Every structure is written in C-alpha cells, then in structure tokens.
C-alpha cells in the first residue's frame, strides 16, 4: 500500500526514538475521541512519561512491541500509529493494541497504511533467523 502524499512511515521495535517521543505521545491520545456512548469513562492522558512507563512495563513482561507511525512531513509530527505485541511464550500469536490517527490527519488512508505496513514489518522480522535483532531506525 502506498504511503499517502505528504507523509512518511517509520517503524521501531520497543522504545520510541527520542526525536519522535513527544509527538508519538500526542498521537497516542488520538484514541481519546473514540465514541464512548453514555459512558462516564475518561481516558488517561498520554505523555512522554506515560509512553516510557508503558514501554518499561512491556519489557518487564517480556513483550515484543512493534510500532509503525505515519509522520507528517511538513511538521515532523506523528500523525497516526499502530502497535502490535507478542509474548515470547507465544511467538506465533500476536495482538494489536491501539491504532489511531490524529483528527487533523484523518481521511487520507493513514490507518489502513500503517496497518498494511505493520503486517509487512512483522512478517519480515519473524522471518529472520533466531538471535537476529532488527536495527532501530
């Protein structure tokens, strides 16, 4: 799937690179405008500190986290993302956590784009020999 004009993709495993951490935290908050009906639930705010805490918790649990983000080229901000995890005891089974696109960047196909590229990233990484480590970009 082609990347929409004006955007580029970036992928990492585990810890978010420092240069996109703040905008990644903002993009994670895009899930907050999902409809909740009559629920009184309030989403907790995503901050850089919360992202780092979630990453640390995943490491403690032994989870492998794949993240694909769409970056708006004009601003350098993360516009959308997807997160998929797997556990070492079940490396053949993964699960998707959040996928979200910031309101200002919706209607460009970014959600479909990051999902399609996530499938390719996971397939590529899992096809590598044991002990292989994917370089973080």
């Amino acid at each position: 799937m082609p990347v929409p004009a004006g955007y580029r993709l970036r992928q990492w495993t585990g810890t978010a690179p420092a240069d996109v951490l703040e905008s990644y935290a903002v993009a994670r908050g895009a899930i907050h405008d999902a409809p909740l009906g009559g629920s009184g639930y309030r989403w907790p705010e995503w901050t850089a500190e919360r992202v780092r805490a979630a990453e640390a918790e995943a490491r403690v649990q032994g989870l492998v986290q794949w993240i694909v983000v769409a970056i708006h080229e004009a601003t350098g901000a993360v516009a959308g993302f997807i997160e998929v995890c797997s556990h070492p005891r079940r490396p053949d089974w993964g699960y998707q956590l959040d996928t979200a696109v910031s309101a200002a960047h919706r209607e460009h196909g970014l959600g479909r784009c990051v999902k399609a590229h996530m499938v390719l990233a996971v397939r590529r990484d899992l096809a590598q020999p044991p002990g292989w480590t994917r370089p973080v970009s």
Side-chain angles (χ1 to χ4, degrees), residues 16-92:
D19 64 319
V20 295
L21 177 60
E22 292 291 334
S23 69
Y24 174 56
V26 170
R28 294 216 46 138
I31 197 77
H32 294 177
D33 59 11
L36 296 175
S39 170
Y41 180 76
R42 305 274 311 169
W43 293 98
E45 182 180 351
W46 278 99
T47 62
E49 293 78 20
R50 183 169 176 218
V51 168
R52 290 295 188 231
E55 292 168 344
E57 179 63 26
R59 281 191 302 278
V60 166
Q61 294 177 24
L63 298 177
V64 176
Q65 293 176 285
W66 286 276
I67 310 292
V68 174
V69 299
I71 297 177
H72 185 236
E73 290 184 323
T75 62
V78 174
F81 74 96
I82 182 173
E83 178 182 5
V84 169
C85 289
S86 72
H87 194 280
R89 286 183 286 194
R90 288 292 312 268
D92 60 327

Side-chain angles (χ1 to χ4, degrees), residues 98-123:
D98 291 340
T99 299
V101 175
S102 299
H105 299 282
R106 293 180 184 154
E107 304 299 324
H108 297 285
L110 292 175
R112 285 187 305 274
C113 181
V114 295
K115 286 181 180 189
H117 286 271
M118 175 61 78
V119 170
L120 297 174
V122 171
R123 278 188 65 196

